[in-house]
């Protein structure tokens, strides 16, 4: 940041947005030039190679398109219906961008506070901030806010000042999106967790079905089992039920009965082994912290996380270019700058993909992070300046 001369801010009035430079979004002014831009070639008609910087813009009225965003603060006067009657830069603190403009004109001799127009920071559907930047710089001398530099924007003929905003792309989310702590609770039916409901139904059906088959085999050939008395159906069900636990009480004599009981005992061995393995895995997962590594956007995508982004911003464009399939999916949600943070708080999104300086700004806002709910996740994805 440049050094500020406080006297500039004390003597400069808080002028209102000049309606003479009004232009509706993406509509060009209805004048001969279809623009409010100065013709600097006529204004600087001397030998421009010998200009001194502190006098280069002396007497020039800079036409500024000033965005109603975080770095420009306004005071509003309303009528009884809530309609804005008057809009002026905040007398208490106009914001960082007006201060930068004050410093610029204080050093070069220009003026801007009587020749700016306040522009909405919201975009219509189908438009991006790259489109907005092209339109603003076509209509006004200067688009006053922070803007990411990109090859596409430079190709439109847009020029940028020295960078002052850290627009590096990062992820921000709730603490629990990073780590979930286990709950200490008693689960009476936890022993059912290793198998799904369908598997349990199949096991029960196999027990009853096998009991019916063995009961039938014993009726067809009474010598199929060495038992002195023929088993009842419920006794057969009991024997097959205990077989699933690893207890084998059959005494087959015929080849058919032996083959059938061997298949059942082998099936029971597989069921017991699978249940033991799944139960061990269930208990391990239940009794330890589950750390979800979300250090990169790729890992967040692979973990099925829903991510919000500022609609139409250069961050949105960067993500869409790098992950086009993800950007077209349901887990990629576009919202306003502040709205993307609020959607993480409400649970609509797990993560907001944002800029470093934007996070620096919002993490101290009471309505966004008053309870220190949010934190940065992972490292910087792309380093950018604006």
């Amino acid at each position: 940041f440049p050094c500020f001369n406080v006297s500039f801010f004390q003597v400069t009035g808080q002028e209102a947005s000049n309606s003479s430079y009004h232009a509706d979004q993406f509509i060009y002014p209805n004048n001969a030039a279809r623009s409010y831009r100065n013709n600097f070639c006529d204004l600087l008609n001397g030998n421009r190679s010998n200009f001194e910087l502190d006098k280069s813009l002396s007497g020039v009225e800079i036409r500024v398109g000033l965005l109603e965003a975080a770095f420009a603060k306004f005071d509003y006067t309303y009528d009884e219906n809530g309609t804005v009657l008057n809009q002026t830069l905040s007398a208490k603190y106009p914001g960082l961008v007006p201060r930068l403009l004050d410093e610029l004109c204080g050093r070069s001799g220009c003026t801007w506070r009587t020749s700016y127009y306040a522009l909405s920071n919201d975009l219509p559907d189908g438009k991006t901030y790259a489109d907005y930047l092209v339109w603003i710089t076509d209509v006004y001398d200067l688009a006053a806010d922070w803007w990411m530099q990109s090859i596409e924007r430079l190709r439109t003929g847009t020029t940028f000042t020295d960078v002052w905003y850290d627009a590096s792309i990062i992820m921000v989310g709730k603490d629990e999106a990073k780590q979930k702590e286990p709950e200490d609770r008693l689960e009476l039916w936890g022993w059912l967790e290793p198998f799904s409901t369908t598997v349990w139904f199949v096991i029960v059906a196999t027990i009853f079905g096998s009991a019916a088959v063995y009961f039938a085999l014993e009726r067809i050939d009474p010598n199929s089992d060495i038992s002195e008395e023929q088993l009842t159906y419920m006794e057969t069900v009991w024997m097959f039920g205990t077989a699933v636990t690893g207890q084998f009480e059959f005494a087959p004599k015929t080849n058919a009965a032996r083959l059938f009981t061997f298949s059942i005992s082998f099936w029971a061995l597989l069921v017991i082994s699978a249940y033991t393995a799944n139960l061990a895995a269930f208990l391990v997962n239940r009794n330890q912290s589950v750390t979800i590594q979300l250090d990169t956007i790729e890992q967040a995508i692979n973990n099925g996380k829903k991510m919000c982004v500022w609609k139409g911003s250069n961050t949105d464009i960067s993500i869409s270019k790098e992950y086009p399939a993800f950007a077209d999916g349901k887990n990629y949600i576009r919202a306003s700058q502040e709205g993307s943070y609020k959607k993480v708080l409400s649970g609509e999104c797990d993560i907001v993909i944002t800029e470093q300086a934007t996070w620096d700004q919002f993490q101290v806002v009471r309505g966004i992070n008053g309870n220190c709910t949010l934190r940065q996740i992972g490292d910087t994805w792309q380093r950018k300046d604006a």
Side-chain angles (χ1 to χ4, degrees):
F1 294 90
C3 296
F4 295 116
N5 186 330
V6 180
S7 63
F8 290 145
F9 313 135
Q10 296 172 341
V11 301
T12 306
Q14 308 300 327
E15 290 82 4
S17 179
N18 193 333
S19 60
S20 299
Y21 300 110
H22 166 79
D24 293 321
Q25 273 187 325
F26 297 99
I27 303 298
Y28 286 85
N30 188 21
N31 57 25
R34 297 184 60 78
S35 173
Y36 297 126
R37 294 176 61 181
N38 282 296
N39 187 336
F40 285 94
C41 291
D42 291 341
L43 292 173
L44 306 177
N45 54 10
N47 183 358
R48 292 187 290 274
S49 62
N50 294 325
F51 274 150
E52 296 180 21
L53 289 178
D54 61 348
K55 299 178 181 179
S56 58
L57 296 177
S58 179
V60 176
E61 181 186 71
I62 303 294
R63 283 77 183 269
V64 176
L66 179 62
L67 267 67
E68 297 180 82
F71 295 112
K73 307 296 184 182
F74 293 89
D75 293 328
Y76 300 91
T77 304
Y78 303 91
D79 64 12
E80 58 185 10
N81 298 319
T83 304
V84 176
L85 296 177
N86 192 30
Q87 175 191 40
T88 60
L89 286 167
S90 174
K92 183 178 181 180
Y93 175 65
L96 179 60
V97 169
R99 286 197 167 188
L100 287 172
L101 292 172
D102 286 340
E103 181 72 8
L104 172 66
C105 284
R107 293 183 180 186
S108 61
C110 64
T111 61
W112 73 274
R113 282 181 175 253
T114 58
S115 56
Y116 79 90
Y117 189 76
L119 300 172
S120 172
N121 197 36
D122 297 325
L123 293 180
D125 292 337
K127 294 293 186 179
T128 68
Y129 281 92
D131 302 324
Y132 206 13
L133 180 60
V134 170
W135 176 78
I136 296 174
T137 52
D138 280 346
V139 176
Y140 300 96
D141 294 326
L142 184 65
D145 202 45
W146 64 270
W147 301 93
M148 283 190 190
Q149 297 186 28
S150 67
I151 298 298
E152 292 77 8
R153 292 178 177 183
L154 291 171
R155 285 173 177 168
T156 65
T158 304
T159 56
F160 295 84
T161 62
D162 288 341
V163 297
W164 58 273
Y165 192 88
D166 187 355
S168 300
I169 299 175
I170 62 171
M171 296 188 298
V172 172
K174 291 183 179 180
D175 278 344
E176 53 263 37
K178 179 75 176 176
Q179 186 176 49
K180 297 179 180 179
E181 295 294 333
E183 298 180 12
D184 188 12
R185 63 185 186 278
L186 175 64
E187 295 184 8
L188 295 177
W189 300 101
W191 59 274
L192 293 173
E193 292 294 332
F195 286 153
S196 66
T197 303
T198 302
V199 173
W200 283 117
F201 275 122
V202 170
I203 290 174
V204 173
T206 301
I207 291 173
F208 279 94
S210 300
V213 172
Y214 197 80
F215 180 78
L217 287 176
E218 204 174 36
R219 292 299 178 275
I220 295 171
D221 185 356
N223 295 320
S224 60
D225 194 285
I226 63 174
S227 301
E228 295 181 358
E229 296 182 1
Q230 288 186 334
L231 298 172
T232 65
Y233 177 68
M234 292 308 298
E235 289 175 332
T236 309
V237 171
W238 165 256
M239 293 176 67
F240 275 96
T242 56
V244 177
T245 66
Q247 182 175 347
F248 190 84
E249 295 187 0
F250 299 99
K253 293 175 60 178
T254 64
N255 291 333
R258 288 170 178 167
L259 179 62
F260 182 70
T261 53
F262 173 78
S263 64
I264 290 299
S265 62
F266 185 72
W267 169 79
L269 174 65
L270 297 179
V271 170
I272 293 171
S273 300
Y275 182 84
T276 303
N278 288 357
L279 179 61
F282 167 72
L283 292 176
V284 169
N285 289 334
R286 181 181 179 276
N287 291 288
Q288 71 175 10
S289 297
V290 181
T291 302
I292 304 173
Q293 295 296 331
L294 296 180
D295 295 324
T296 64
I297 292 178
E298 290 89 342
Q299 291 171 349
I301 293 174
N302 294 335
N303 277 276
K305 297 299 180 181
K306 291 185 177 181
M307 289 186 271
C308 281
V309 70
W310 185 9
K311 177 183 175 182
S313 64
N314 199 65
T315 299
D316 182 12
I317 294 173
S318 297
I319 297 297
S320 299
K321 286 183 177 180
E322 189 72 21
Y323 309 105
F326 172 68
D328 291 335
K330 63 180 181 180
N331 285 346
Y332 189 71
I333 301 172
R334 295 173 173 89
S336 66
Q337 185 182 37
E338 183 175 336
S340 59
Y341 282 86
K342 289 184 175 180
K343 285 183 180 294
V344 173
L345 295 174
S346 67
E348 295 180 63
C349 292
D350 300 305
I351 292 169
V352 55
I353 304 174
T354 186
E355 304 80 31
Q356 181 66 62
T358 304
W359 165 234
D360 293 342
Q361 169 195 342
F362 278 112
Q363 71 172 324
V364 296
V365 175
R366 184 181 299 276
I368 298 295
N369 200 33
N371 296 324
C372 297
T373 306
L374 303 178
R375 59 169 294 181
Q376 181 175 338
I377 298 175
D379 202 355
T380 300
W381 180 65
Q382 279 187 4
R383 298 198 177 277
K384 293 176 177 287
D385 293 310

